[in-house]
Amino acid sequence: MMKFADLINQNSEELATLDTLDAGKLFSEAKYVDVPAGAELLRYYAGAADKIHGEVLKMSRPLQAYTLLEPIGVVGHIIPWNFPSSLFFTKVSPALAAGCTMVVKPAEQTPLSALYYAHLSKQAGIPDGVLNVVTGFGPTAGAAISHHMDIDMVSFTGSAEVGREIMKAAASSNLKPVSLELGGKSPLIIFDDADVDIASDLALLGFTCNKGEVCVASTRLYVQEGIYDEFVKKLAEKAKALVVGDPFDPQARYGPQVDKTQFEKILSYIEHGKKEGATLLSGGKRIGEKGYYIEPTIFTNVKEDMLIVKDEIFGPVVGLMKFKTIEEAIQSANATRYGLAAGIVTKDLNVANTVSRSVRAGSIWINCYFAIDQDCPFGGYKMSGFGKDFGLDALHKYLQVKSVVTPLYDSPWL
């Protein structure tokens, strides 16, 4: 695993180029963030591989017992197209450390880096048959993994709709366990005491990072009434100044959507927002005639029952809402079927603590956003799925617990 990580670092430019060509990701982010993060995940879990052990148990009867932690078996990893490198190693690294073999199906839109990683794994000395990459489409290759009787577990990141189908397939075959990291419609709650300049920077990052193709994108923006007008003005100015263009251009802040299907889906939601009565403050259109570029889009006067507030758009579109009290903010933040992440911007520790304990989401970020780290468990509540990535929680989901029990003296009745 350490050798594998070294080879990734040595080939980072080629790998970043593949993700940029496939997914429209910023080359700079792919090279300096996503690809190195994959290598670091390998090193992190390589350090845990020789520290997997059970425990000796104190029994209530005259028995001696201990537990063993064993690999769960063959794992099927199904990964999405928005972070091809990062999510490849989010899944592969802990499974390798746990001693599992695996079949990895990259998204059909972004298969190239996964194939390159398979090539590098062989160079690193990972035995044949341990890390297998199978390209294909969800209804064929993904379904085969989910239904297969010799796959012992499925780990999936993607939409709630597909996650539901994977659970059905797992239940109808060998009752294999599944780990699902699904969609999100994450709130960012900004209170009156926030620094408006810092808060607007966080908000802009929250819905435009990776052209909005992020499961934790903060696409529901709640701003307290005292700073609402000032905040809206500043956010619109910053959004209009954002450089959108060729992802190989170092000046670009984000590039094109991943493909035509996603591009048209985002534009259709923008039209829904206008038809439902939301106010289009800025953006809302295609940029140029070539490529799938969309302006950063801000809606105001939105309501909780609008599609642009309820559905995960997966594009650079945000809806702004005003609130008065902390109770109102909490109620609004929880008014979603998702629960992946949430952000809070305030200088008041009591407010931060109250809201962070009241919002039903797997990750709460206070005065920051996208603060994802390899040590910190990541996963959702409600329809955002179950099972954790990162940290030792991710390692343990690829392990079975076996209890071994021996009587302390010879007795047929114990």
Side-chain angles (χ1 to χ4, degrees), residues 131-253:
L131 173 56
N132 310 278
V133 173
V134 176
T135 60
F137 293 88
T140 49
I145 288 170
S146 303
H147 282 95
H148 205 291
M149 294 295 290
D150 292 331
I151 298 284
D152 299 295
M153 176 190 174
V154 174
S155 176
F156 170 73
T157 296
S159 70
E161 292 74 21
V162 176
R164 186 180 283 112
E165 293 303 312
I166 287 171
M167 285 192 72
K168 290 178 183 177
S172 67
S173 56
N174 56 351
L175 279 175
K176 60 175 71 67
V178 298
S179 173
L180 303 176
E181 196 269 273
L182 306 176
K185 195 68 181 177
S186 301
L188 177 59
I189 308 167
I190 301 171
F191 288 88
D192 279 344
D193 63 345
D195 181 302
V196 174
D197 201 48
I198 293 173
S200 57
D201 282 341
L202 282 176
L204 186 67
L205 172 71
F207 83 94
T208 64
C209 178
N210 199 50
K211 55 276 191 358
E213 294 173 350
V214 186
C215 55
V216 293
S218 56
T219 51
R220 292 188 297 139
L221 193 50
Y222 298 96
V223 184
Q224 202 162 15
E225 59 184 2
I227 60 168
Y228 181 85
D229 291 339
E230 181 187 359
F231 177 88
V232 168
K233 180 181 177 183
K234 188 150 285 190
L235 181 63
E237 289 172 353
K238 291 180 177 181
K240 289 173 183 175
L242 204 64
V243 178
V244 181
D246 187 334
F248 287 100
D249 181 353
Q251 302 302 315
R253 279 288 299 275

